[in-house]
Amino acid sequence: MKILSEDISHKSDAGGVRLNITSAQSVRSTHRELTDAVKHACPEATIEGVVVEEMHKSRNGRELLVGLTADPVFGPIITFGSGGTAVEVVKDSALALPPLNRHLASDLIDRTKIGSKMLGQFRSMPPANREAIIDVLLRISSLACELPHIQEMDINPLIVDEDGAVAVDARIRVAYPKPSHTPYGHLAIHPYPYNLCRQSQLPNGMSITIRPIRPEDIELKKSFARELSEESIRQLRLTPEMLTRLTQIDYDSEMSLIAVAQVDDSEEELGLARYVANPDKTSVDFLLVVSDKWRGLGLGRALLSALCDAARARGYEVMSGEVLVNNGKMLKLLESLGFQIKDIEDEDDIKLAQLRLAGKRSRRSI
């Protein structure tokens, strides 16, 4: 049984929590004791009633805290650590900026004492369900990204044992967010743009997925770079090391789309299309790379078309790129997509490809 009052944020501190109520008679007497204790501790508080919940018991449960705070500079900040009534005394917590992925959520857990030492097998207790904790952190991350109205949120305690995680108590404070031109303007880091993921089929019937690149695609990118021929690298004027660094991007000012497919029971990268915004914030420069062994299947057209759609949705007006004169297939592809091919002054071996995406308009979020 818990006291219900908008004036009391921390119910335990006000004596507003009672546990292990086992009978109807106990409910009546506990209600009187609870309300009398809270009135004495917080005489100015308006008591609306009480909340009665099922008692959660776990012999092997660890009490954790998961929180969310809106910082005026960094935006939403996720907190994880030891929970319970002694949370201010123990002071075992770590912070992270959303959006989180499974790797970042796991790292956040490991940066706390309870996460690194007490979630595993401990004396007679079996290991806690770590995946359940990660799932909770990912859901909190999604809330932080999609709901800028949340100013504060505490789940304390979050009881975790070998069977899963249960939120025993939670507190949320909301307010109108600051005006923003984009849905994710309240975040320090732009979330992964799932809306740009698409399934496609090449003219030969091969099914592919075109999606934004992720930081965890680093091994995929290394394999892709190793497959490129020396001629391809020369035409692109990029090194394999530069390609592998393309997994670390800011989705707000650049975009890297990759085409992947299941090949021999594993995911393989077939090609990459990327743009980077220029300082004028109205134009972007593009890059297109297709693996040598997957050329001639229409991958370049599919990737570049998807990239143009993404840039157009962001409100960019012009897309440009430099192409070697002897890269005839690339120039032909660009012309077929509406790019204008222009000469560059004092550059005999390079052409400028330019596409007008749209007229002037406000930028939109991806």
Side-chain angles (χ1 to χ4, degrees):
M1 184 180 294
K2 304 173 185 177
I3 201 69
L4 178 61
S5 172
E6 291 186 1
D7 302 320
I8 300 175
S9 297
H10 301 285
K11 295 179 279 292
S12 296
D13 295 346
V17 178
R18 296 292 186 274
L19 307 176
N20 299 307
I21 304 171
T22 57
S23 66
Q25 183 177 358
S26 298
V27 170
R28 298 187 185 95
S29 60
T30 301
H31 179 269
R32 288 194 299 270
E33 294 172 5
L34 181 67
T35 52
D36 289 345
V38 173
K39 287 178 181 177
H40 178 75
C42 304
E44 303 298 324
T46 299
I47 299 176
E48 301 173 41
V50 297
V51 176
V52 180
E53 300 175 359
E54 179 183 356
M55 182 69 195
H56 178 74
K57 296 182 178 181
S58 174
R59 290 183 56 189
N60 304 317
R62 285 80 153 173
E63 291 190 342
L64 306 177
L65 162 72
V66 177
L68 182 64
T69 304
D71 183 86
V73 177
F74 295 102
I77 298 177
I78 296 174
T79 306
F80 172 83
S82 300
T85 55
V87 61
E88 287 86 1
V89 177
V90 176
K91 294 183 178 179
D92 173 32
S93 63
L95 308 176
L97 293 175
L100 299 180
N101 54 32
R102 301 197 78 83
H103 173 76
L104 294 175
S106 181
D107 176 73
L108 177 61
I109 294 170
D110 290 337
R111 286 192 279 119
T112 62
K113 294 178 181 178
I114 194 169
S116 60
K117 298 179 179 179
M118 296 189 65
L119 294 182
Q121 188 169 352
F122 181 73
R123 294 183 178 176
S124 61
M125 294 192 297
N129 190 331
R130 186 183 179 94
E131 292 301 311
I133 304 173
I134 292 176
D135 287 340
V136 170
L137 289 172
L138 293 181
R139 290 170 183 169
I140 296 299
S141 175
S142 296
L143 285 176
C145 293
E146 302 299 332
L147 299 176
H149 298 75
I150 297 178
Q151 302 300 301
E152 292 180 13
M153 180 172 68
D154 289 324
I155 300 177
N156 182 28
L158 177 73
I159 299 181
V160 182
D161 56 20
E162 67 274 20
D163 296 321
V166 176
V168 175
D169 195 20
R171 178 180 67 90
I172 300 178
R173 183 173 70 85
V174 297
Y176 286 108
K178 294 180 180 180
S180 174
H181 294 295
T182 65
Y184 302 115
H186 64 295
L187 297 175
I189 304 172
H190 199 287
Y192 184 79
Y194 285 99
N195 60 302
L196 296 183
C197 299
R198 62 169 71 173
Q199 302 295 320
S200 186
Q201 192 174 61
L202 299 179
N204 67 347
M206 181 179 183
S207 296
I208 63 169
T209 299
I210 295 177
R211 61 170 175 80
I213 203 165
R214 302 182 296 236
E216 53 265 38
D217 288 326
I218 181 66
E219 294 302 324
L220 203 65
K221 183 58 66 181
K222 287 180 179 179
S223 299
F224 175 76
R226 285 194 296 266
E227 293 289 333
L228 292 176
S229 66
E230 292 184 6
E231 176 64 18
S232 295
I233 294 173
R234 186 189 69 81
Q235 289 184 340
L236 294 167
R237 295 184 292 173
L238 288 174
T239 65
E241 291 75 19
M242 293 170 68
L243 280 172
T244 58
R245 287 199 295 268
L246 296 183
T247 59
Q248 307 294 328
I249 69 170
D250 177 8
Y251 298 115
D252 189 47
S253 60
E254 55 187 313
M255 180 55 59
S256 290
L257 299 177
I258 61 173
V260 296
Q262 290 294 318
V263 180
D264 297 329
D265 298 325
S266 63
E267 190 178 53
E268 181 175 338
E269 182 180 346
L270 315 180
L272 160 79
R274 180 177 188 249
Y275 74 67
V276 178
N278 292 313
D280 62 12
K281 297 184 180 180
T282 63
S283 64
V284 295
D285 292 334
F286 79 91
L287 169 72
L288 177 64
V289 189
V290 176
S291 176
D292 294 76
K293 67 178 181 179
W294 296 108
R295 292 184 178 179
L297 301 177
L299 269 172
R301 178 178 294 276
L303 277 167
L304 197 52
S305 295
L307 189 72
C308 289
D309 290 342
R312 191 176 289 112
R314 290 285 285 166
Y316 293 112
E317 299 170 26
V318 179
M319 179 178 285
S320 303
E322 294 182 353
V323 184
L324 290 176
V325 172
N326 61 1
N327 194 349
K329 291 184 178 179
M330 173 69 82
L331 292 171
K332 184 177 180 180
L333 169 64
L334 294 173
E335 285 182 323
S336 70
L337 290 173
F339 282 78
Q340 291 184 337
I341 310 301
K342 303 177 181 180
D343 294 328
I344 300 178
E345 187 176 357
D346 298 328
E347 293 285 355
D348 295 333
D349 58 345
I350 300 175
K351 294 286 188 180
L352 175 67
Q354 197 170 73
L355 175 68
R356 179 157 293 280
L357 297 168
K360 293 185 179 180
R361 57 177 175 175
S362 60
R363 292 184 63 201
R364 292 160 44 195
S365 172
I366 53 176

